[in-house]
Amino acid sequence: MAKVLVVDDEPNIIISIEFLMQQAGFDVVTAEDGESALARVAEGAPDLVLLDISLPGISGFDVLEQLRADSDHARLPIIMLTAHGREVEREKGMALGADDYITKPFSTQALVEKVKSLLAEVS
């Protein structure tokens, strides 16, 4: 069973995405800030990360950059999942190495399909 790390500082969003991913058959781990996200990855790398940009402490962009700089996690699929829909932020996320960039609100079905297709690409 593929493990998905959900990183968001909004408890309601974590709960809903966690439920959605579990219903789709994934094992889910959560983190509420950048430091926790990096710790979860270090504890046991997930197969994919859903990463918010606006986090307390280390931003999602910083988490993305640190994971991409680490050879162990350079190929880890990461989807930026954020309310920041401006093109400049999307470009920054993609330039830093995100595999995709999805803005909130989003289609739950589209998110599940994107997760499945990214996991199929790396397996």
Side-chain angles (χ1 to χ4, degrees), residues 1 4-6 10-30 50 81 106 108-109 111-112 116:
M1 182 184 308
V4 174
L5 171 61
V6 178
E10 293 286 332
N12 292 343
I13 292 173
I14 284 187
I15 290 167
S16 60
I17 295 175
E18 182 177 25
F19 178 76
L20 177 69
M21 291 294 124
Q22 287 171 340
Q23 291 299 301
F26 299 110
D27 184 20
V28 181
V29 185
T30 63
L50 295 173
L81 197 60
F106 52 85
T108 55
Q109 189 56 43
L111 178 61
V112 170
K116 287 180 177 177

Side-chain angles (χ1 to χ4, degrees), residues 87-99:
E87 192 58 32
V88 66
E89 286 152 331
R90 179 185 173 79
E91 287 172 7
K92 180 177 180 180
M94 299 307 279
L96 289 174
D99 293 282

Side-chain angles (χ1 to χ4, degrees), residues 64-117:
L64 173 62
E65 215 166 3
Q66 287 185 41
L67 290 173
R68 287 296 179 244
D70 182 336
S71 60
D72 290 341
H73 308 299
R75 301 294 314 131
L76 175 64
I78 299 173
I79 299 175
M80 304 303 286
L81 197 60
T82 180
H84 297 273
R86 295 199 327 248
E87 192 58 32
V88 66
E89 286 152 331
R90 179 185 173 79
E91 287 172 7
K92 180 177 180 180
M94 299 307 279
L96 289 174
D99 293 282
D100 207 339
Y101 191 103
I102 298 174
T103 53
K104 299 171 190 171
F106 52 85
S107 155
T108 55
Q109 189 56 43
L111 178 61
V112 170
E113 292 305 317
K114 175 50 71 177
V115 168
K116 287 180 177 177
S117 77

